[in-house]
Amino acid sequence: MAREDGMESDAQPGQLLTAERVTAVADMPPIDSKIVPPGGILDLSRSIPIADVVWRRRAQVSGRVRSIRVRPWGDAVITLEAVVVDSTGGLAVAFLGRRSIPGLALGGPLTVEGMAGARAGKLLILNPAYDLRPIPR
Amino acid sequence: MTLTEHAPAPSTTTSPRFTPPGPLPPTSGIDMPETSGYRLKNKVLGPALTTDQLEHERLGKPTALAVFASDALSSTAYASEEILRAMVPVIGFLAFASFLVPITLALVTVLVILTFSYRQTIKAYPSAGGAYIVTKDNLGLLPAQVAGVALLTDYILTVAVSVSAGMAALYSAVPALFAYRVPLALGFIALIAWGNLRGVKESGRMFAVPTYAFIVSMFAMIIVGVTRGVMHGFSHVPLPVEHVGIGAKTVGIILVLKGFASGGAAMTGVEAISNGVPAFKKPEAKHARETLMVMAGCLGILFIGISFLAAKYHAVPSDKSTVISQVARHAFGGGPIAHGIFFFVQAATMLILVLAANTSFADFPRLASFHADDAFMPKQLTKRGHRLVFSNGIVALAIAASILVVVFKADVTHLIPLYAIGVFTSFTLSQAGMSVRHVKLKEPGWQLGLFVNGLGAVTTAVVTLVIGWMKFTHGAWFIIVLVPVMVALLVRLNRQYESEEVELAHDVNDAMGAPVRLRHSVLVLVSDLDRPTARAVQYARTLQADERRAVHAAADPVKAARLAEQWQELGMIRVPLDLVDCSDRRVARSVLDVVADELADERTEVTVLIPRREYVHWWHRLLHDRTSNELARAVGRLPHANVTFVPYHFGSTPVSAEERSAYHASKHH
């Protein structure tokens, strides 16, 4: 049965979504770093490839939002789950208690920073700090 | 109150949720109308036969003679002529005086040897004793392929040659039909194929009359001809009006061999009975042997009789009138009655020539099914169809023969040289196989059997070489090239089947007991919020799953947003909607990504549920694309991804006319 009990430390967690299956993000038009809007809470240039994310370490990754869904975790906690992918892999993020995040769009850019945990055998960052600015290359 | 007192009848009103158990309904309880294609099939072929009726689809001796003998007997209509065609242009009337009857007798000797050889075969293989089985059993699979392919090509040729020859007889009588000989020939092939698709017994009935008409008229012709000849002396038929090359060269052994090779066509069809033993009524072997003797007797007598009369009458083969027609005309003499009999003989000849093809239709599918059973031909050939016959084999034969007829424009002269070599190849292989069997098994009386079959093998081998040599440049080369190519093809096919089978059977027990993947993800593919989706979601909720969600590939962001909104309003919280980016509009690709994510941990089994609309009429389907099938094909390529279609049947939901008209009004203001 589904484990709906939030973060957990699985016996064998941390499987990345492998790169070759992921729809290429290279299709996104490259953006000059100079025109990245100022502000935001994250330094976008510090992101690492998703393939390099290690379980139980903090990580900041940037990529494209591949899928979004809203479901309750447990009995009551509504949660927005998203999968963010870059050219090296994919990673799930979850925003507890939220139904929507203004500006978060399918196929749009997303940079997240947080502790890489796991859920259902896959890496997941819970309630990350996020930044919706276009990603510089 | 006693113990035997009946329990009180359960009340049906105790609980609204309780329905008392009842028996199963007498029928399936589901209204399932037959498809229009099946109804058409029933009309054309008759009602489907059940498998236990297979036993009854057997032939009695008289019917069997009609089914199996028409090929062998019909060749008497042209065998004598073929001998004369080979010899008269070279040595002229010497052919009649000295060679026609001796060559015929030599061929009949071969026939006798063959007949006794095949008696042995039928005795040894009462269940199915075709050249293929005998060769396979005793010489191995590869020689069996050679024998089988040689026979199959000959069966195809039999159909093409005899139907074409029948057309020749027809347009000789009615010259106006010459231009339509190819479509007519194709029509006859289709007719015979149809008869056979209806079932072997019915086709036997259909063809019994012409076969017996031919036998009777030929015997009558010979008896009348010989009697009249003995009483009044034999006179010569008038020479044909048109120019016929009549040579006067010296006789060489080559020439005799040529005549012999040309007459060899008379032997085709002798093997039919031994191939078709299982089609006889029980006891099959006894009935088959008796029928074989009757057939060989008829064949021999007719062949000798026709050759004898032709030799006495000096019937010169020409394009306008066949030898057998000249003999018939001359034997019955003048007068209106004789004229009527002559036309009857011609009609019977024409019909038996056309229907000789039926022998092949009885044998080709069976032989092809033997090949397919051994995985040397497509497995579809082993399937019995609607009327318990090997429908696919029948259709394949009809198509192949039709192609030959079209390519050769129904021209017998060009088809004949391809003929007979295949059947003698298979004779040789099967007799050699029988000889090997006698040596191996040493059954009582095996010495005699070895002698008979050995003699048969040697004789037929010699005949094969003679025919191959004499007719090589006339077209036999084609068969000599074709057979090895076909055999190579079948061997390749066999290797493919074997490699598949080996893989499918590899470590089955281990595979059955292998540890299962413990996690189960159920993904429902959703394109709209509609009834099919509702069905699929309902079904998904009945499945034991660790992860269960609906997946929508958002090719159209506006539509995706609306769907998400509807989903949220519904409160479908148990089956959350997963919106997947699909900005490149490749829906299958996006779905694959999601499925692959689920499979990434290598301990998940994924079930992808695809709602599919089932339409009432076939043309309704044409109004929609086949996205669901494409998705299923794409997802099914991933290991451990399993596709389930959830059908939604149009018409399963009652919709009032008011609702429909309200919808229409809202769309059209």
Side-chain angles (χ1 to χ4, degrees), chain B residues 53-74:
Chain B
Q53 278 173 286
L54 187 60
E55 187 68 12
H56 306 301
E57 281 290 290
R58 301 282 185 117
L59 303 171
K61 276 188 284 180
T63 324
L65 188 66
V67 167
F68 291 115
S70 57
D71 178 17
L73 294 181
S74 72

Side-chain angles (χ1 to χ4, degrees), chain B residues 319-335:
Chain B
D319 291 340
K320 285 258 171 70
S321 53
T322 56
V323 165
I324 194 162
S325 74
Q326 294 177 34
V327 170
R329 193 185 289 274
H330 206 70
F332 290 115

Side-chain angles (χ1 to χ4, degrees), chain B residues 397-417:
Chain B
L397 174 60
I399 291 172
S402 299
I403 291 172
L404 270 184
V405 166
V406 170
V407 168
F408 284 86
K409 296 195 177 66
D411 183 354
V412 186
T413 327
H414 287 102
L415 281 168
I416 280 277

Side-chain angles (χ1 to χ4, degrees), chain B residues 154-168:
Chain B
D154 238 53
Y155 286 148
I156 299 169
L157 277 162
T158 303
V159 175
V161 166
S162 26
V163 172
S164 299
M167 289 312 102

Side-chain angles (χ1 to χ4, degrees), chain A residues 1-3 15-17 21-23 64-72 78 99 106-107 120-122, chain B residues 519 544-549 554 568 573 576-581 584 589 593-594 596-598 600-601 603:
Chain A
M1 291 303 291
R3 279 175 290 256
Q15 298 260 359
L16 282 170
L17 311 177
R21 290 195 322 272
V22 174
T23 314
R64 183 175 61 92
V65 177
R66 198 173 67 193
S67 74
I68 299 174
R69 55 189 172 264
V70 179
R71 61 155 44 135
I78 200 76
R99 275 186 192 280
L106 270 185
K122 286 167 189 123
Chain B
R519 208 167 157 273
Q544 284 277 342
D546 301 286
E547 167 77 10
R548 184 187 295 123
R549 61 180 199 261
Q568 197 178 328
I573 228 66
L577 178 69
D578 192 6
L579 291 179
V580 184
D581 177 39
D584 56 0
R589 191 72 214 172
D593 278 341
V594 174
D597 285 357
E598 290 299 316
D601 60 4
R603 53 192 195 96

Side-chain angles (χ1 to χ4, degrees), chain B residues 459-643:
Chain B
T459 316
T460 51
V462 169
V463 177
T464 310
L465 291 178
V466 168
I467 295 176
W469 176 27
M470 289 300 144
K471 292 186 170 182
F472 188 82
T473 52
H474 298 289
W477 63 269
F478 179 69
I479 299 299
I480 293 170
V481 171
L482 179 75
V483 169
V485 169
M486 283 300 293
V487 169
L489 208 77
L490 297 197
V491 168
R492 178 70 193 79
L493 200 88
N494 174 252
R495 207 166 301 152
Q496 176 60 23
Y497 270 125
E498 275 183 353
S499 83
E500 282 174 11
E501 233 142 74
V502 166
E503 174 165 352
L504 291 182
H506 178 72
D507 282 348
V508 178
N509 296 350
D510 286 359
M512 293 292 282
V516 295
R517 294 191 162 195
L518 292 173
R519 208 167 157 273
H520 184 200
S521 278
V522 174
L523 305 177
V524 186
L525 299 192
V526 168
S527 65
D528 295 288
L529 187 61
D530 52 14
R531 279 193 164 265
T533 300
R535 275 286 309 123
V537 169
Q538 292 297 312
Y539 174 61
R541 288 172 61 185
T542 67
L543 296 177
Q544 284 277 342
D546 301 286
E547 167 77 10
R548 184 187 295 123
R549 61 180 199 261
V551 173
H552 175 74
D556 177 352
V558 180
K559 184 180 166 190
R562 196 172 59 229
L563 182 65
E565 207 173 297
Q566 288 172 324
W567 210 267
Q568 197 178 328
E569 280 170 17
L570 272 176
M572 284 298 300
I573 228 66
R574 284 176 197 281
V575 187
L577 178 69
D578 192 6
L579 291 179
V580 184
D581 177 39
C582 188
S583 36
D584 56 0
R585 294 170 311 287
R586 292 168 68 201
V587 174
R589 191 72 214 172
S590 299
V591 170
L592 273 185
D593 278 341
V594 174
V595 175
D597 285 357
E598 290 299 316
L599 292 168
D601 60 4
E602 296 187 350
R603 53 192 195 96
T604 301
E605 237 9 286
V606 175
T607 299
V608 176
L609 302 184
I610 302 181
R612 187 164 65 174
R613 300 159 188 188
E614 301 295 342
Y615 300 96
V616 180
H617 293 294
W618 63 270
W619 60 271
H620 294 175
R621 203 167 38 230
L622 301 182
L623 307 175
H624 303 271
D625 59 15
R626 317 295 281 288
T627 320
S628 60
N629 288 350
E630 283 160 32
L631 285 172
R633 212 172 307 133
V635 173
R637 285 212 306 269
L638 297 175
H640 296 281
N642 312 284
V643 177

